[in-house]
Amino acid sequence: MIIGAGIVGCALADQLTARGWSDVTVLDQGPLTAPGGSTSHAPGLVFQINPSRTMARLARRTVAELTGVGAFDRVGGLEVATTGARLAELHRRAGLAASWGIRAEIVAPARCAELWPLLDEGLVLGGLHTPDDGLAHALDASRRLRERAAARGARFLGRHTVTAVERDHGRVTGVVTDRGGFPADRIVSAAGFWGPLIGAMAGVDVPLLPLAHQYARTGPLAAPPAGRLPILRHQDRDLYFRQHGDRIGIGSYAHRVIPVDPAALPAYDEAPVMPSWLDFTPDDYAPSWTDAVRLLPALADTAVDEGFNGVFSFTPDGMPLLGEVPGLRGFWLAEAVWVTHSAGAARAVAEWMTDGRPSIDLHDCDIARFEDSQRSPAYTAERSARNFIEVYDVVHPLQPPEQPRPLRVSPFHARQRELGAFFLEGGGWERPHWYEANAGLPAEVPAEVPARDAWSARFWSPIAAAEARATRERVALYDMTPLRRLEVEGPGALDFLQRMTTNQLARHVGSVTYTLLLDHGGGIRSDLTVARLGEQRFQVGANSPADLHWLLRHAPATVRIRDVTAGTCCIGVWGPLARDLVQPLTRDDFSHRAFGYFRARETCIGHVPVTALRLSYVGELGWELYTTADLGLRLWDTLWEAGAALGVIAAGRSAFDSLRLEKGYRSWGRDMTAEDTPYQAGLGFAVRLDKGDFTGRDTLAAHPPGTETRRLACLTLDDPAAVVLGGEPVRIGPTEGTGPTEGAGLMEVTAPTGDTGPAEVTAPTERADGHVTSAGYGYTIGRCVAYAWLPPLPAGTAVRIGYFDRTHAATVAEEPLYDPQMTRIRS
């Protein structure tokens, strides 16, 4: 049962029936020809470039699917820059296009004017042309997909308003409408901005905020341009444009946030036009009209002829809501999906439902990604509204949302503030990235910290170099509280974890094992550390709420799984003096012989009971020390006071990331996802095919090591001053021309007030051989380290990394770069 016959619901029915599911029913409260939701009024612009690889791929698939049914007009796309900051951003987006396999080119103002003759060429500094973007004809696409699905047996019923979702023992059993009930063992809510209402019927929170967005059409132009114009975006003023014959359609995100209560919207037959078509508010639109006329002077001879405020969906992180809802079997979401990603998202959900896994990574879209603290109505409203405001802003990859903060803090937060912590946010947690208290420490080894360009210097401080050095030379405290902690216990706990993960867990009590959570296709769902604290009692270090839900879904009744993250905390004590710090505080023997690497022990540090795990994500001697949240501050103070004589410091995530990259430690969600297998990601050491059956084993056995066509490679940048951040395109072969830093240096103008001359015409973006996943400056080795997906390449191979308008030379390196013999971590 699919609730919603907009483009997503129709595309999903088409995809499911194409995969052999014939017993598919689609319901909608409106008429099928134009149900009255966002599909019915969407302007249909499809821009494929997105900072998210997943979203870019969903858009590409949408183009392919809608082209296949004759409902896509490939007119191309043009983004124009009127500020230096935006022009630099367009160069960054061109790099993303190369990384994701999308054709694009930076073009000069004259070419922009050729593509859009109405433009004031003197206002434009340059543009980004994407020839394969265009217009999706949403209603026509819905009709064609509906007809194709119906020919395979799907049933479509308009004028059916859902009034209830029936459930029994944690599983859906059907829906009730104003025209009768329908049994169903799988229900997909594709109701668009009505999704929260459908979710409430099922007892499910759907973190989605309906908002009104302004769109207007001009009157006829006195001299309309010949031919078809590409879709146009003027993001410096939050505007987009498309052609309607001799008129221009103009959408604006520049107005105030206008929330909409879906429960208060009129029924289809009671709405003046349709439920999602609200009255135009001219005062909100007036500044945008002024900006539109300035960019397109020919508009001065016309005026807004027709306008409306259209309702559509925003989420707290700007991503769709896809997947089966945790805790309610058979209830799926395909919500907050714009037309841009519609058919691509439908295909992914259909794969997920029929095959058990989508063919592309969807962890950023999975409804299971949200923490409980991110599900409140107030959080959804505040963050979703902020995403509307920032939809066309130049947003740095590290830039945190401003509100509501702080939301989640560790027990050490007060001490961190006293030390001048600079906080960023992840998963709702405040995470120190460096401490101003360390500003006077000696900086990087072996050379001075190189200066950074304006973009890479944002949310960064050279203090991170000092913290990295102190960790390598003395000892540092890291707040690791945001790491997810699960308790798994009960009869059969060991057998259960053995079946779910790749490594051998049948080790003695007190052992710690790094292992992987795979899906049935051998893709890496997550990486875990599993500490065996009793015969059938384990502490599992995981990544996201989705890990908990995956384990709960497969756990037998005898195994209890509990997320204890919120009630506990963790300090990483790392550095060559770590043992000198902790040993005097405990009666237990913390020597290497008595407490070896990858071992666990329940003990006390001073007055504080802790679970100590001998692990290190920075490549130095040390322990993760876990205790309950109420004792966390006492643990911090105990370690801080005892470490004063040793020169202990608090260190942040910026130094942590640098150190873990030097050591070659992967970050799940950045370096590898469910699209990647352990052998591709360089994690074959965590796989034990001989231990017995486990999820994904058959796939791995059929594709042994050495058969990979792509691998995660370690790269070092040749220029010690060069830095990349992630997402950049990588091409095999040496850098040609002027050397490691080519181009006009547009990174010097990334400040909002920056200025630059017009862009030069460039050749179309060359498709990349791979892309950077995560990167950071390695302060110990004195150059930037980047991990990238590439074809298998020997160490020493020259590559080049695109970075805005320049190219950095880099080299494939043997890993790990730091302490390959593991002497420091095992000391």
Side-chain angles (χ1 to χ4, degrees):
M1 181 67 65
I2 300 170
I3 303 173
I7 189 169
V8 176
C10 291
L12 180 57
D14 176 58
Q15 291 286 335
L16 289 173
T17 55
R19 287 168 170 75
W21 285 20
S22 57
D23 189 7
V24 175
T25 300
V26 183
L27 303 176
D28 203 289
Q29 62 187 346
L32 296 177
T33 53
S38 301
T39 297
S40 301
H41 69 248
L45 281 68
V46 177
F47 277 94
Q48 298 175 73
I49 302 174
N50 194 292
S52 163
R53 180 171 179 253
T54 296
M55 297 300 282
R57 296 174 79 185
L58 293 180
R60 289 186 67 192
R61 287 186 169 187
T62 296
V63 169
E65 296 289 344
L66 298 189
T67 298
V69 295
F72 183 77
D73 195 0
R74 198 183 300 263
V75 297
L78 178 66
E79 301 175 49
V80 294
T82 59
T83 65
R86 181 66 62 180
L87 184 54
E89 170 69 359
L90 295 187
H91 277 274
R92 185 170 81 101
R93 289 174 62 77
L96 291 170
S99 291
W100 312 150
I102 299 168
R103 290 200 301 160
E105 59 181 336
I106 297 293
V107 295
R111 176 59 176 155
C112 293
E114 289 177 10
L115 291 165
W116 252 85
L118 303 180
L119 280 172
D120 180 352
E121 183 180 335
L123 193 64
V124 175
L125 298 176
L128 177 63
H129 180 220
T130 46
D132 297 323
D133 289 342
L135 295 167
H137 304 293
L139 282 178
D140 188 41
S142 299
R143 176 182 62 80
R144 296 179 186 220
L145 294 166
R146 185 171 66 246
E147 290 173 351
R148 197 160 68 176
R152 302 190 194 105
R155 176 173 56 162
F156 290 81
L157 301 175
R159 301 291 189 173
H160 282 67
T161 300
V162 175
T163 59
V165 174
E166 297 182 316
R167 296 162 284 163
D168 184 49
H169 292 90
R171 176 180 284 278
V172 297
T173 58
V175 300
V176 178
T177 76
D178 59 349
R179 300 176 68 175
F182 297 84
D185 58 0
R186 292 175 181 84
I187 298 171
V188 185
S189 177
F193 57 79
W194 285 289
L197 303 183
I198 302 299
M201 297 177 194
V204 171
D205 292 325
V206 178
L208 177 161
L209 178 68
L211 292 170
H213 162 58
Q214 293 198 303
Y215 189 78
R217 296 190 190 194
T218 70
L221 297 175
R228 299 185 305 167
L229 298 177
I231 53 179
L232 172 68
R233 287 202 285 189
H234 180 23
Q235 292 157 301
D236 286 324
R237 289 295 181 267
D238 295 316
L239 295 172
Y240 64 83
F241 306 81
R242 61 155 293 183
Q243 185 179 20
H244 293 282
D246 62 352
R247 303 166 187 252
I248 301 297
I250 309 168
S252 171
Y253 292 99
H255 56 82
R256 63 188 169 92
V257 176
I258 308 175
V260 176
D261 179 1
L265 291 174
Y268 189 94
D269 292 326
E270 298 172 357
V273 180
M274 64 180 76
S276 63
W277 185 296
L278 306 184
D279 289 340
F280 192 59
T281 49
D283 289 345
D284 290 318
Y285 198 76
S288 292
W289 177 253
T290 299
D291 289 332
V293 172
R294 185 168 180 238
L295 182 70
L296 309 176
L299 298 185
D301 296 329
T302 184
V304 172
D305 184 58
E306 176 189 48
F308 67 97
N309 289 1
V311 184
F312 68 145
S313 305
F314 273 81
T315 62
D317 57 5
M319 302 292 280
L321 309 175
L322 308 179
E324 188 175 23
V325 172
L328 183 57
R329 297 296 297 273
F331 189 71
W332 290 71
L333 297 183
E335 298 288 14
V337 181
W338 294 2
V339 171
T340 304
H341 310 102
S342 54
R347 175 178 162 185
V349 172
E351 291 170 342
W352 205 345
M353 296 181 75
T354 59
D355 302 335
R357 64 191 296 265
S359 61
I360 64 174
D361 169 53
L362 292 181
H363 81 273
D364 282 341
C365 305
D366 190 341
I367 183 59
R369 69 188 181 271
F370 290 106
E371 306 281 351
D372 290 343
S373 59
Q374 297 171 311
R375 289 180 169 275
S376 71
Y379 184 95
T380 296
E382 195 163 358
R383 285 288 173 91
S384 299
R386 173 52 54 181
N387 274 309
F388 179 93
I389 293 169
E390 295 179 348
V391 68
Y392 277 174
D393 288 359
V394 178
V395 178
H396 193 277
L398 294 178
Q399 182 173 325
E402 295 178 1
Q403 297 296 336
R405 293 181 63 196
L407 182 63
R408 307 177 78 186
V409 298
S410 77
F412 326 127
H413 186 70
R415 297 292 184 265
Q416 292 165 345
R417 293 184 62 186
E418 291 169 4
L419 294 170
F422 180 85
F423 293 97
L424 296 179
E425 188 228 47
W429 289 100
E430 294 295 314
R431 299 186 177 195
H433 273 241
W434 66 82
Y435 295 84
E436 291 296 332
N438 296 326
L441 294 175
E444 187 222 341
V445 177
E448 293 297 322
V449 183
R452 290 200 174 193
D453 61 70
W455 183 256
S456 64
R458 295 187 66 188
F459 307 107
W460 171 84
S461 169
I463 293 172
E467 294 176 0
R469 176 177 183 175
T471 307
R472 292 283 190 232
E473 294 184 351
R474 299 193 306 279
V475 61
L477 306 184
Y478 288 82
D479 182 359
M480 304 305 290
T481 300
L483 291 178
R484 183 166 307 278
R485 293 170 290 284
L486 309 177
E487 282 184 354
V488 181
E489 59 183 345
L494 173 60
D495 290 341
F496 165 65
L497 289 173
Q498 283 279 72
R499 293 194 307 274
M500 297 301 296
T501 67
T502 60
N503 212 337
Q504 178 58 263
L505 303 182
R507 306 175 190 271
H508 46 74
V509 172
S511 64
V512 181
T513 306
Y514 177 82
T515 187
L516 303 171
L517 204 60
L518 305 184
D519 61 24
H520 296 286
I524 304 172
R525 286 188 56 93
S526 189
D527 62 342
L528 313 175
T529 53
V530 179
R532 190 174 189 183
L533 303 180
E535 288 296 327
Q536 297 290 345
R537 181 167 67 94
F538 298 84
Q539 176 177 302
V540 177
N543 284 294
S544 79
D547 297 344
L548 171 64
H549 300 310
W550 178 259
L551 292 172
L552 284 171
R553 177 171 182 167
H554 293 89
T558 58
V559 175
R560 298 178 298 278
I561 305 172
R562 188 164 67 102
D563 188 335
V564 298
T565 310
T568 56
C569 58
C570 177
I571 299 175
V573 184
W574 291 314
L577 301 183
R579 184 175 287 115
D580 297 313
L581 174 53
V582 297
Q583 184 61 82
L585 300 174
T586 180
R587 294 182 180 181
D588 287 317
D589 187 353
F590 269 53
S591 68
H592 180 64
R593 184 181 184 87
F595 196 160
Y597 189 53
F598 267 78
R599 294 279 293 163
R601 177 176 295 174
E602 294 177 298
T603 182
C604 288
I605 298 295
H607 296 92
V608 181
V610 301
T611 299
L613 273 58
R614 176 110 182 255
L615 302 176
S616 173
Y617 286 94
V618 300
E620 300 292 340
L621 169 69
W623 289 265
E624 292 178 357
L625 302 177
Y626 297 88
T627 192
T628 52
D630 59 323
L631 292 170
L633 191 58
R634 183 60 177 264
L635 177 61
W636 179 280
D637 288 344
T638 299
L639 294 167
W640 189 258
E641 293 166 8
L646 301 173
V648 70
I649 68 159
R653 297 289 300 186
S654 187
F656 175 90
D657 239 13
S658 170
L659 299 170
R660 70 100 182 163
L661 284 165
E662 290 181 328
K663 194 61 182 168
Y665 294 143
R666 278 62 167 145
S667 174
W668 183 85
R670 295 166 66 188
D671 297 320
M672 72 277 193
T673 68
E675 289 187 27
D676 313 309
T677 69
Y679 302 138
Q680 293 170 333
L683 297 175
F685 65 88
V687 176
R688 295 291 182 270
L689 294 178
D690 58 354
K691 75 165 187 172
D693 191 32
F694 59 84
T695 302
R697 182 189 181 282
D698 291 346
T699 301
L700 297 188
H703 300 87
T707 61
E708 308 86 25
T709 58
R710 52 191 286 275
R711 291 178 186 166
L712 189 64
C714 177
L715 311 177
T716 56
L717 274 65
D718 295 355
D719 181 356
V723 174
V724 297
L725 301 179
E728 295 87 359
V730 183
R731 300 177 179 92
I732 302 169
T735 302
E736 300 176 356
T738 61
T741 55
E742 300 178 355
L746 286 172
M747 284 314 300
E748 298 172 2
V749 296
T750 55
T753 57
D755 191 17
T756 186
E760 297 296 326
V761 178
T762 68
T765 302
E766 176 190 357
R767 181 164 184 166
D769 297 301
H771 67 276
V772 174
T773 56
S774 58
Y777 201 84
Y779 299 109
T780 312
I781 67 169
R783 63 189 63 246
C784 185
V785 182
Y787 275 81
W789 283 103
L790 288 165
L793 299 171
T797 300
V799 299
R800 55 196 193 278
I801 303 175
Y803 183 67
F804 287 80
D805 63 328
R806 61 187 64 173
T807 300
H808 292 316
T811 304
V812 177
E814 294 279 3
E815 56 173 333
L817 301 169
Y818 178 77
D819 188 27
Q821 303 303 317
M822 301 284 285
T823 56
R824 295 177 68 88
I825 208 168
R826 297 181 184 275
S827 60

